[in-house]
Amino acid sequence: MPPRSTPTLFDRSHLGSSLAAALLKLHPRVLIRNPVLWVTWIGALLTTVAIVTSPADRGFNAHLAVWLWFTVLFANLAEAVAESRGKAQAESLKKTRTATTARRLVGDQEERVPATSLRKDDRVVCEAGDVIPSDGEVIEGIATVDESAITGESAPVIRESGSDRSAVTGGTRVISDRMVIRISAEPGHTFLDRMIHMVEGANRQKTPNEIALNILLAALTLTFLAVVVCLYPMGLYAKTTFSIPVLVALLVCLIPTTIGGLLSAIGISGIDRLIRRNVMAMSGRAVEAAGDIDVLLLDKTGTITLGNRMATAFVAAPGVDQARLADAAQLASLADETPEGRSIVVLAKEQFGLRGREVAEPHARFIPFTAQTRMSGVDLASADTSGTRSIRKGAAESMKRHVDRLGGRFPEAIDAAVENISRAGGTPLVVADGAEVLGAVQLKDVVKGGIKERFEQLRKMGIRTIMITGDNPLTAAAIAAEAGVDDFMAQATPEQKLARIRAEQSDGHLVAMTGDGTNDAPALAQADVGVAMNTGTQAAREAGNMVDLDSNPTKLIEIVEIGKQLLITRGSLTTFSIANDVAKYFAILPAMLMTTFPAMSHLNLMSLQSPRSAILSAVIFNALIIIALIPLALRGVRTRATDARSILQRNLLIYGAGGLLLPFLGIKLIDLALTTVGLV
Amino acid sequence: MNSPSAWIQWTLFVGLLAAITKPLGLYLVQVLDPGGRTWMDPVVRPIERLTYRFLGVQPVHEQHWTDYARSLLTFSFVSLVFTYAILRLQHLLPLNPSGFGAVSEHLAFNTAVSFTTNTNWQSYGGESTLSYLAQMVALTFHNFASAAVGIAIAAVLVRGIARASVQTIGNFWVDVVRVTYYLLLPICLPFAVFLVSQGTIQNFKPYTAATLVEPIHIAMQATDAQGTSLLDSNGNPVLATREVTSQTIAQGPVASQVAIKMLGTNGGGFMNANAAHPFENPTPLSNFVQMVAILAVGSGLTYYLGRSTGSPAHGWAVWASMMILFLAGVLACAWAEAAGNPLHHALGLDPADGNMEGKEVRFGIFSSALFATITTAASCGAVNAMHDSFTALGGLIPLFNMELGEIVIGGVGAGLYGMLVFVILAVFIAGLMVGRTPEYLGKKIDAYEVKMSMLALLILSITILGFTAWAATQPWGTAGPNDTGPHGFSEILYAFSSAAANNGSAFAGLTANTPWYNTTLGLAMLFGRFLMILPILAIAGSLAAKRKMAASAGTFPVTGGTFVILLLGTILLVGALNFLPALALGPIAEHFLTHSSTLF
């Protein structure tokens, strides 16, 4: 869905349609689902009726009615703006879902059918230029695919059968070659369909926490409704008759309209923030769960380290010049296309200025790595035919056997060096020229820059990191120490991963992990948040509850942060909304009682000009604060990576104390403005 | 508040309360665990076992919360009917030396409900209405039982928080029996003896008639033979002076009832004047010890909470929140009473005397204000001064305490579970602010807990406000208050607050012994007790069944100053604000009117 720019909060192009959508949401059938707004809506209606029925207060009631309608409208607008951003993204996605024709295989025969008629387990053929008609698994062939329609990434990716990169997504385009795909999704349930549903917010299910919060808001509304309804007879006892619009004004100011209006916008924009980071959450529930995560299972490769081991040092045997070792190691690696091999060539060049020589050197015969010899290298026929120079590199054990066979001696110093390198988390490669051991090359995992600080932050937030690696325990421990993870699992199998997740969960932890292979699927499904890589297999993508379109495992950390931010925003605005009530009471209550008990003017702390101005100011503040907070609801409150106590103190100060004090100021200012303009 | 003795008494009181909290809490841990051990085991264990055998209870068999609720409701209903029967039949039963007749239907209903619900609202004067048997068997029994039930429910909620992944929350019969046998009876016995040592009476004698050494004369409205008031030619009542030469001095088994009425926060006095009566509360020392007894168990339960959930600091945080509200209440009330009435000062009364109307000279302003705050902070309702005669703001404090749901230490058990409702709400509202779905001591707070917590709060608000609003507009309601204007309104509001919050203290000044008031107040007491308890038990059951989340640095902290502030904020914003309009029409309006020279 490119381009995925950060949308501005009030996009001019969207604002018009948002306003229209907000007006449509005034329909009672829509509003009745939100008790807070429903009560406000009825209050606005009652006040509007009062304009006609009580002519004496016509002007005042009309003002009140207008602002009460605005209150509902502004709350609707918040939701509409949040939805509009998703709608725009959904539109661009829908364009990629244009009617495509599929080439279905029936037996050996190809037939052309509309993509929408494809069922699960149908087989289709795709060739260069074809749009892949639906989600599926490559069962034959290899091809490059342009997935930019889904991921926004323009570089093509390779999809091949029988590998961990066998999943293809409907709506993407084959650039070269031919492959046969087995369809894995029923029509209407493809990944693209789910994406569109998600961003559109269509049939958005309320998350558990949202439901609980809605109950709280409904109960508060009911309580205040009882308070206000009981106030009328109590007033009669004091020989005061409160007018319906004034009681409505009090009620609307007391019920949590602010959070009631913003709640769904906060939820929608939380999912939206994930989408902008190219993560598709399959449910809102997953986003919420992300905030609760306190254990992260992180794959070493790609998340903690830079993918591959790199040569970092040459350790020469006694009596051997280091440059000679480097030269031999480089020669042995010239034809080695693995990242390790290339890194040796590069290191030799950097440290000793040895340029990579022509690979097809005459008389050179390259020996590839095999599982039997566990060595690779090169045989050079020297020009003076004095013999063949045979250079080998390989793991210490196999090199020992190799040298022994040639009658050489394996120096003790190299034994020690090998031991040291292993202990430090590196992988030693021993290099020998014929029977002479020249030394060892240290290969090491390179820990990503800044990752240690990131883990430090996570620890402060109470999140434990566990590194998953296939390395042996010694190597794993060294990297774990260097990266600063809390724990590691060495030589981890998918079964062990699953067992570990279960164990953590039964200890009361919530676990998140990333995965891509088919054998990751059980663990992904078991984890509370399972993020599948988009490059992964179809099984993995279906087991997880999120898919990272960028296939970047580091993103797990961001996902947790987004989940937390969503919850913090919700809590902060709820606190703010409830704290607002104090000031509104002090505006409206004295105004209501001053006619009967003039002495109550002592409670008019803000010294508002007149009872009517006081009531109107409170209602206007109540409406405007919704508009003022929409940007915050959409953007999310600022969060910091620190412990819960500090976050609580900070947010309690800003949104709790701020929520108490700000309305005093706001209502006073509105009162001044109203009086200046002469509206009341 | 100017006298040093007030400060000394206050410091002693708070100090003593703090000191007994932990030992009592540790003892409660043993009492509330069916397998717990106490030093009384050699004597009490056999009796306990015998009781279970008699009741047919398997003490090891724990109950699901619905079964627990069923047992509780059955027990309460049966004992309510039992009490009703005794009150209605007291004229046929023994130990009735004064020969009191049967209690009227509506008063018997009101009284039976009142004592079953730990309210002890009294629409009657004890010494002029009830036989000794009714006082001792019907009422004192409830003083123990209703207190034990309250503590049991608090224990159940704490168990719900502390346990994980289980369906049961304890056995109702075991809880009630153990609390009575190991906690209430053993403390009340020496307590009653102590009260006797101070001068509280304990006997079965008929009332004594005493001839006054110095006859007193009182001016009364003259009546003719038919009892109608005589009026002079201007239509003003004719006054006649009456000489009083003898006094009836009530007797009875007072000490045994006073001990449990304080310890069990029941508050129903043997005498109409309650703790202001010299036979119930003879000395400053008895006054002090009675005040400590009111808050003792409630205070100890906070430690029980901390200890049982493995977070003593949380228990203390809850205790601190309660104490802050308590100290603020005492200060405000004592200050308002000491400041007195400006209109009296204008008439030449010494402002240094404060507001002595309706107070015992023996106790003076501070002890009366302290007692009033304590008795309404807890759901006790015993009084040693007439709250109706307090200044408007002085009377606001007891009213406010009750409308919070008596969570400031609170009634035995009821205070803790009422407070925990606010804790759950505080955790839910603010818990999100740390970026996790709310979690209380490892338990996720979901829609169900929120629903039940809000239901409990809603019941209290709607009962108090609804009945008050109803009474305020009905002839039967407006006939009740003895005063007009906001003060009259306060009298109605106070009655329903006291009933719904199961306090039982009376503002006085309300003629409540009428069919309407007895019935509506009785209903308010039932709603305030049982409709509160059911959601609480439901929360306990739901929490017990949940798995426990591990704590980390990211877990919402329920200890320390921030949490205390948060909890106080939640109580005031979610609990107290509901009553602001009603309070504005009552004591607040009265306060401002007093200061602009209008009295009621």
Side-chain angles (χ1 to χ4, degrees), chain A residues 315 396-397 400 410-430 440-442 472 474-475 478:
Chain A
V315 184
E397 287 308 310
K400 215 174 239 175
F410 200 85
E412 273 168 37
I414 293 303
D415 257 339
V418 162
E419 178 78 25
N420 281 339
I421 292 170
S422 296
R423 195 173 309 234
T427 309
L429 279 184
V430 174
V441 182
Q442 172 178 284
N472 65 57
L474 210 62
T475 312

Side-chain angles (χ1 to χ4, degrees), chain B residues 62-83:
Chain B
E62 289 216 339
Q63 293 168 305
H64 187 260
W65 79 264
T66 47
D67 295 329
Y68 200 100
R70 207 167 294 130
S71 299
L72 186 154
L73 291 177
T74 310
F75 174 73
S76 301
F77 179 74
V78 169
S79 58
L80 192 153
V81 171
F82 167 75
T83 305

Side-chain angles (χ1 to χ4, degrees), chain A residues 193-449:
Chain A
D193 291 320
R194 285 194 285 171
M195 262 177 96
I196 291 169
H197 274 304
M198 207 61 215
V199 295
E200 255 185 343
N203 61 23
R204 198 174 73 90
Q205 300 267 312
K206 283 204 171 83
T207 59
N209 177 256
E210 230 176 336
I211 292 170
L213 201 49
N214 262 315
I215 288 174
L216 178 81
L217 300 183
L220 284 174
T221 306
L222 194 58
T223 312
F224 286 120
L225 187 63
V227 168
V228 172
V229 166
C230 289
L231 192 54
Y232 183 80
M234 289 180 185
L236 291 181
Y237 183 90
K239 302 187 174 56
T240 310
T241 310
F242 299 120
S243 79
I244 300 289
V246 167
L247 288 174
V248 166
L250 177 65
L251 177 61
V252 170
C253 284
L254 291 182
I255 61 177
T257 46
T258 313
I259 183 66
L262 296 174
L263 190 56
S264 60
I266 295 170
I268 296 169
S269 62
I271 290 174
D272 186 57
R273 274 198 292 283
L274 271 184
I275 293 169
R276 268 185 280 137
R277 282 176 182 73
N278 255 351
V279 176
M280 294 305 308
M282 291 308 152
S283 71
R285 189 188 278 259
V287 188
E288 214 164 70
D292 286 350
I293 293 303
D294 59 355
V295 174
L296 291 182
L297 295 191
L298 299 170
D299 278 323
K300 182 198 77 177
T301 309
T303 311
I304 296 168
T305 60
L306 284 173
N308 299 296
R309 282 165 233 254
M310 311 280 260
T312 51
F314 295 108
V315 184
V320 178
D321 185 30
Q322 243 190 349
R324 193 179 154 217
L325 167 64
D327 179 61
Q330 193 185 48
L331 278 173
S333 305
L334 282 175
D336 186 350
E337 281 301 325
T338 64
E340 287 92 344
R342 267 176 296 181
S343 78
I344 294 174
V345 175
V346 170
L347 186 72
K349 189 172 102 186
E350 278 174 358
Q351 289 196 345
F352 301 99
L354 300 169
R355 310 219 117 252
R357 279 142 287 191
E358 185 52 45
V359 179
E361 205 168 304
H363 318 298
R365 195 165 63 85
F366 292 102
I367 317 292
F369 177 88
T370 67
Q372 285 78 40
T373 60
R374 300 178 65 79
M375 294 184 298
S376 65
V378 61
D379 284 342
L380 297 170
S382 54
D384 53 9
T385 68
S386 63
T388 325
R389 213 177 144 203
S390 152
I391 306 174
R392 292 288 182 277
K393 66 175 169 45
E397 287 308 310
S398 32
M399 288 304 289
K400 215 174 239 175
R401 256 179 280 121
H402 171 72
V403 175
D404 277 350
R405 209 179 55 235
L406 296 179
R409 199 182 59 84
F410 200 85
E412 273 168 37
I414 293 303
D415 257 339
V418 162
E419 178 78 25
N420 281 339
I421 292 170
S422 296
R423 195 173 309 234
T427 309
L429 279 184
V430 174
V431 181
D433 189 345
E436 185 191 6
V437 176
L438 297 179
V441 182
Q442 172 178 284
L443 294 177
K444 241 186 122 177
D445 272 316
V446 181
V447 172
K448 279 185 177 175

Side-chain angles (χ1 to χ4, degrees), chain A residues 209 213 219 222-223 227 233 237 291-292 460-462 505 508-510 564 567-568 571 582 585 602 644-645 647 649 651, chain B residues 428 432-433 435-438 444 454 458 472-473 547-550 552-555 557 559 562 573 577-578 581 592:
Chain A
N209 177 256
L213 201 49
L222 194 58
T223 312
V227 168
Y237 183 90
D292 286 350
K460 264 197 217 147
M461 294 160 70
Q505 286 172 333
H509 297 286
L510 281 125
K564 282 198 180 299
L567 295 171
I568 292 177
V582 176
Y585 256 129
H602 289 284
R645 197 176 285 273
I647 299 179
Q649 277 165 358
N651 289 337
Chain B
F428 180 74
L432 287 170
M433 282 201 291
R436 287 170 62 140
T437 55
K444 287 274 174 219
M454 285 309 289
L458 203 57
T473 45
R547 67 191 184 113
K548 206 176 182 76
M549 312 307 295
S552 74
T555 307
T559 58
T562 315
L573 285 173
L577 276 189
N578 301 338
F592 289 119

Side-chain angles (χ1 to χ4, degrees), chain B residues 234-250:
Chain B
N234 297 329
N236 292 323
V238 178
L239 293 181
T241 308
R242 210 183 106 192
E243 190 186 46
V244 179
T245 55
S246 75
Q247 183 186 0
T248 305
I249 297 173

